[in-house]
Amino acid sequence: MKKFIAMLLAVMMVFAIAACGNQQEKVTITSPDDFKGLKVSVQTATTAHDDLRARKEAGLAVDIMPYEKVTQCFDDLALNRVAAVYVDSVVAGYYLADEDSKYEVVWESSEGEPMGLCLSKDNEELGAILESCIDMLYYNGTMADIATKHFGYNVTEGVRTVTEEPVIDTTNLKTIVDGKLLIGAEVGYPPMEYTDETGLEFIGFDIDLGKAIGELLGIEVEVVNTAWDGIFEGLGKNQYDVIISAVSILPDRQEKYFMTEPYIANKLVIVTLKDAE
């Protein structure tokens, strides 16, 4: 029995040492330059991921930890398995909204990155209709209401200035199959698109935006939950009409797809634990 207990304690010690080894040493981070030698989590195929890979190719010795879901990034940060999360400011705002949040933003990029709705190049007619809908939501104050609901303040202020009531021409709504607007979204990116506590209802800023567009057009809206790394491929296969899922407006995307003008602006930020030293 003593031998068994000794062996059990030895095994437990090995696991304890391994667990400690998985934890990231706490350091002071004030910019991406401080990522040297650290584990940093990002969501795969995002702007943050692309930026981090570019920095690594340029010589920054960072250990990139990519995850399919952004929630996994914050889970590992909470467990101290990574030193920081490199992420969009709109997402960081969700995790910092609670007064008792364990997280803090320690760096923010100097320039905002615009986000837009994304459609196939051959669907520009629908794109123009949706563009008018966004203008209307800015004009009538709905966009500000949605932003305040999900962010606590109007993050859309200054993104668009609409002083005259837009005209929404629904003549070309024939481009929508069966009178239903299908929206592609990666539902796991709070506060933009995620599920409620039951895990059954899609909620978030982009979800409410899609619903508001549907109300303006008088049509049903359906969200197609799609993994981010395959979301553009799904658009090419006509699995949905439009992507409303915090899509950054980038030159290469504008070449391949029809991107609307920005409906919200975003920055890259570094999030760490508040007790990081």
Side-chain angles (χ1 to χ4, degrees), residues 33-182:
D33 294 335
D34 296 326
F35 287 159
K36 181 179 179 181
L38 301 179
K39 292 181 179 179
V40 178
S41 63
V42 292
Q43 184 180 22
T44 57
T46 59
T47 304
H49 193 191
D50 292 341
D51 184 78
L52 208 52
R53 284 186 294 190
R55 291 176 184 273
K56 187 168 185 176
E57 291 175 1
L60 180 65
V62 57
D63 190 357
I64 303 174
M65 307 294 290
Y67 295 92
E68 181 182 347
K69 299 289 187 180
V70 73
T71 50
Q72 296 171 303
C73 297
F74 282 89
D75 287 344
D76 260 13
L77 178 60
L79 293 172
N80 204 32
R81 291 174 179 167
V82 296
V85 178
Y86 200 37
V87 69
D88 291 338
S89 60
V90 291
V91 176
Y94 170 79
Y95 285 92
L96 273 68
D98 190 340
E99 292 182 359
D100 298 324
S101 174
K102 66 184 74 174
Y103 308 107
E104 65 178 342
V105 171
V106 296
W107 175 87
E108 181 180 84
S109 59
S110 58
E111 296 183 4
E113 183 179 66
M115 295 177 171
L117 276 57
C118 182
L119 301 90
S120 298
K121 279 285 190 180
D122 59 2
N123 211 2
E124 293 189 11
E125 291 179 342
L126 176 58
I129 294 173
L130 298 181
E131 192 79 84
S132 297
C133 287
I134 297 172
D135 280 344
M136 178 62 79
L137 295 175
Y138 265 90
Y139 177 78
N140 64 22
T142 300
M143 189 66 79
D145 292 341
I146 296 174
T148 302
K149 172 184 175 181
H150 293 284
F151 298 98
Y153 65 102
N154 183 17
V155 298
T156 64
E157 188 173 2
V159 177
R160 290 194 184 202
T161 302
V162 184
T163 57
E164 296 183 5
E165 184 172 357
V167 175
I168 302 176
D169 182 2
T170 59
T171 304
N172 292 315
L173 269 180
K174 60 181 181 293
T175 57
I176 299 177
V177 179
D178 298 328
K180 181 187 294 185
L181 180 67
L182 298 180

Side-chain angles (χ1 to χ4, degrees), residues 43 68-70 184-189 193 225-228 231 245:
Q43 184 180 22
E68 181 182 347
K69 299 289 187 180
V70 73
E186 192 246 349
V187 184
Y189 200 65
E193 43 269 330
N225 189 9
T226 307
W228 180 258
I231 200 166
S245 190

